[in-house]
């Protein structure tokens, strides 16, 4: 029974007892869960599921994970420890950040302890996948999932790879496809409401001992640009904008870092980043996690920690749904409700902050910087309120303060 007939079928059965999970597909074996996507969120979800005793497969379209990733790789210390993330992927630590206003007024914030780590995404992604595999996940690389068919008793994927085209069935599908939304569309889950664009280069930069953030309409309208030290002289330099990422990044390097970045014609890589979550992140026998669900900070575009948190919630909900033998959309909606309870307020505040910030002129930003520079107490309060992964506290504080200053 295809998706199109599913709605009327569900209505007919609404009054009846719970779903029987008996598998009448004529196949000998069917996975409990298939995870689509071998990024950090897909691998972590597969790891947790396999660790809980589920029979899990993971399909990843690339032959190797972590190879074509465009990411600065910053992950807060708290989630890093909480999710026991791979230490061997750490390239550097962030303990201090300097912000520069449009006219280069500098504000340095130094924290008592490390606030975040910068990782090598190739090592990071590979290690998370290895852990999932070690727990028993059947990993299939070089397998592109083309479509999903949702049926009453199972979901079926059409999978293609080198010289291969086949169908795979599972009781539940977890979509962790990052910024690729074609499968969501195929099961009628609307796309994320918008996108930002991240453009980045990796090169040598002189005198970069701590993370630097640059603001200003010329450099990065309504948003920010960054330079993050890795190891030795290596650095990641990037911008987060609404469009023309490459253009803004070139301008940023030319206007702000010319004396410190010597390498010419450095390759610029760009990628769109989800801005705002999907309206709904579950369907009958389907859950969406990570960037695929738009679980990305609306302030910075960071998606790893929120995605990992939502993986945990998804797995807890799935455990209960399997126990109750109920994999209906209604039951899986617990996931949708629970992750929104944790993160939706943050996403909304980030959006408000961005709208507020977009209206500020360079003069306004300079004025705010001068004010904080002269008021040590305010700078101290900012340091104390700063939380790497939850920005709503500092946003409320900042917006109230800035309204008084400008
Ligand atoms: C310039 C830039 C800087 C960033 N910096 C940071 C940062 O510092 N910190 C942070 O937390 N986040 C950052 N992000 C965002 C971060 O990279 C993403 O949020 C994160 O990678 C999301 O992980 P994911 O597992 O959900 O998706 P992804 O990492 O995108 O993984 C999805 C996987 O699914 C696979 N896939 C997709 N479709 C299919 C299919 N149909 N069949 C099979 N496989 C499929 C893809 O090949 C991919 O491997 C940055 C993004 C950009 C662009």
């Amino acid at each position: 029974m295809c998706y199109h007939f599913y709605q009327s079928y569900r209505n007919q059965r609404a009054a009846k007892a719970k779903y029987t999970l008996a598998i009448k597909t004529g196949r000998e074996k069917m996975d409990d869960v298939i995870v689509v996507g071998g990024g950090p969120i897909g691998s972590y979800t597969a790891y947790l599921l396999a660790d809980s005793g589920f029979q899990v497969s993971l399909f990843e379209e690339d032959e190797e994970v972590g190879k074509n990733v465009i990411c600065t790789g910053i992950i807060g210390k708290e989630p890093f420890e909480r999710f026991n993330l791979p230490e061997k992927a750490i390239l550097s630590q962030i303990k201090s950040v300097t912000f520069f206003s449009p006219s280069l007024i500098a504000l340095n914030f130094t924290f008592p302890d490390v606030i975040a780590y910068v990782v090598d995404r190739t090592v990071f992604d590979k290690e998370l996948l290895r852990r999932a595999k070690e727990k028993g996940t059947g990993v299939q690389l070089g397998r592109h999932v083309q479509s999903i068919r949702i049926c009453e008793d199972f979901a079926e994927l059409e999978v293609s790879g080198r010289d291969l085209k086949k169908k795979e069935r599972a009781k539940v599908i977890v979509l962790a496809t990052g910024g690729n939304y074609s499968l969501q569309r195929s099961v009628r889950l609307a796309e994320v409401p918008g996108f930002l664009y991240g453009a980045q280069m990796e090169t040598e930069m002189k005198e970069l001992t701590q993370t630097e953030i640059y603001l200003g309409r010329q450099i990065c309208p309504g948003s920010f640009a960054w330079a993050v030290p890795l190891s030795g002289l290596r650095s990641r330099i990037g911008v987060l904008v609404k469009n023309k990422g490459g253009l803004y990044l070139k301008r940023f390097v030319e206007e702000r870092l010319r004396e410190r970045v010597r390498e010419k014609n450095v390759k610029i890589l760009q990628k769109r980043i989800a801005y705002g979550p999907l309206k709904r992140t579950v369907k009958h026998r389907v859950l969406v996690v990570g960037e695929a669900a738009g679980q990305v900070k609306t302030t910075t575009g960071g998606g790893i920690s929120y995605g990992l948190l939502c993986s945990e919630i998804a797995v807890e909900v799935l455990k209960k749904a399997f126990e109750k033998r109920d994999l209906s959309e209604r039951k899986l909606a617990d996931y949708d409700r629970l992750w929104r309870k944790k993160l939706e307020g943050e996403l909304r505040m980030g959006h408000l902050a961005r709208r507020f910030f977009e209206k500020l002129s360079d003069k306004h930003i300079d004025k705010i910087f001068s004010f904080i520079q002269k008021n040590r107490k305010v700078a101290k309060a900012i340091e104390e309120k700063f939380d790497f992964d939850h920005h709503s506290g500092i946003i409320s504080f900042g917006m109230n303060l800035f309204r008084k200053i400008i």
Side-chain angles (χ1 to χ4, degrees), residues 36-42 59-62 65 69-75 121 125 143-146 176-180 182-183 198-200 226 239 269-273 289-292 296 301-305:
V36 186
I41 310 310
F59 292 94
E60 164 56 50
E61 65 188 5
D62 288 344
V65 295
V69 178
I70 306 166
C71 182
T72 316
I74 303 177
I75 303 169
R121 276 287 303 262
D125 288 26
R143 299 282 186 266
H144 171 70
V145 175
Q146 288 182 310
T177 48
N180 178 354
S182 58
L183 295 177
Q200 186 172 257
W226 64 89
V239 295
L269 299 169
Q270 306 191 51
K271 193 170 172 264
R272 64 181 194 173
I273 301 175
V289 285
E291 186 163 354
V296 175
I304 299 173
S305 63

